[in-house]
Amino acid sequence: MGAVSHSAVEYAHQAEEWSALDWWHLEARAVARHPDLTHALAFFAPPAAWTQLSRGVPKALGCLMVPAHIASLTLPVSAAVMMTAWLGETEATAPVAVAGAFAGFAAAWSLFGMSRDARSPDGRAVNGARLLALLHLLPSSIATVLALLAIGHGVAIGAVGIVGLLADVAYGIAALRFYVPTSDSAATEQLNLRRLNRAVEALDHHARLEILADLHHAIDVLEQRALIDADLARAARNQPVASLARTMAPRERVKP
């Protein structure tokens, strides 16, 4: 890809080739102004799409929730990478404060999401949520061990950052207990659909038209540039709001 795109149309103009994963990236641009809808779609998205959903999101205050959802997934990993990089350097100071701030924000935002799930009439999305919990627990546990090592050797910058790391570890453990696993995948799928339908129904008429217009224009661009054929373009245009990527690129068809 070229420069960062801020809409589905721009993404279509900048694409050099087209794959199943690109349908998710395309739809993410179109719905980026609607954080509840973006959040609901994430439960259907393949893991490869999670860290891409916030690219090109406008920086207006009303859209800050969208990158915050994505940051809560990527920041614990970033904290672990940061601390692991320190381990490989000699005579370096460990950025415990920054790593702790990253993990602490991720924990706080995810805890907000858990509290919302606890109050939701749709219930709890178990399977995907437990995977997300592990994305907090595992990297933050690694970062915590390394932070304690750095503090013990007196080479930590901002030792107080350990609080944020421990908070994210605690969130990961709490989430695994909160989202009790179930073998009923059909029930989980219905729960996810109810959440998504609720988010779609919350859109006003203008917002729906704006999303569809952006997507339809983007599909026109893709067809004109021969990145997709006429039959694929026709099928894509027939999809209602929040159904494009789920229909054109189901999670199981997207390569890791």
Side-chain angles (χ1 to χ4, degrees):
M1 294 295 162
V4 173
S5 59
H6 292 251
S7 69
V9 173
E10 290 178 48
Y11 188 84
H13 275 295
Q14 295 168 8
E16 298 175 0
E17 55 184 15
W18 202 252
S19 69
L21 183 60
D22 286 301
W23 288 113
W24 286 100
H25 296 176
L26 189 77
E27 189 164 35
R29 270 63 173 187
V31 304
R33 294 178 182 274
H34 308 282
D36 285 342
L37 182 54
T38 301
H39 177 69
L41 274 172
F43 288 92
F44 296 90
W50 292 344
T51 57
Q52 302 295 323
L53 292 173
S54 65
R55 282 192 179 182
V57 175
K59 301 305 180 184
L61 181 61
C63 296
L64 288 179
M65 287 181 68
V66 178
H69 281 312
I70 310 306
S72 69
L73 305 179
T74 59
L75 287 179
V77 177
S78 298
V81 170
M82 192 179 302
M83 293 303 300
T84 303
W86 159 77
L87 189 63
E89 297 178 4
T90 58
E91 300 182 0
T93 52
V96 176
V98 177
F102 281 7
F105 172 83
W109 186 261
S110 298
L111 186 61
F112 166 74
M114 184 191 291
S115 67
R116 184 169 62 177
D117 282 347
R119 300 190 305 270
S120 172
D122 297 328
R124 307 173 186 179
V126 175
N127 297 332
R130 285 176 64 83
L131 177 59
L132 299 184
L134 290 174
L135 289 177
H136 288 266
L137 178 58
L138 297 180
S140 287
S141 294
I142 294 170
T144 297
V145 171
L146 295 177
L148 290 172
L149 181 64
I151 293 170
H153 284 77
V155 293
I157 298 179
V160 69
I162 194 69
V163 175
L165 293 169
L166 290 172
D168 203 41
V169 171
Y171 165 77
I173 294 172
L176 288 175
R177 295 178 62 86
F178 178 78
Y179 297 103
V180 179
T182 175
S183 58
D184 190 352
S185 59
T188 299
E189 185 72 9
Q190 287 302 312
L191 187 153
N192 291 338
L193 282 172
R194 287 197 299 272
R195 179 191 292 106
L196 182 60
N197 290 336
R198 186 183 297 274
V200 171
E201 290 168 2
L203 298 173
D204 59 34
H205 182 65
H206 174 74
R208 295 189 190 206
L209 290 180
E210 184 180 61
I211 291 170
L212 289 175
D214 189 20
L215 286 173
H216 289 176
H217 190 179
I219 293 165
D220 290 342
V221 171
L222 293 173
E223 184 179 12
Q224 291 164 7
R225 298 184 60 213
L227 292 174
I228 61 175
D229 60 30
D231 289 340
L232 203 57
R234 188 179 306 110
R237 290 190 194 95
N238 288 334
Q239 302 308 316
V241 173
S243 294
L244 177 64
R246 290 189 300 126
T247 302
M248 307 301 293
R251 178 163 40 198
E252 60 273 12
R253 284 176 43 196
V254 179
K255 295 181 180 179

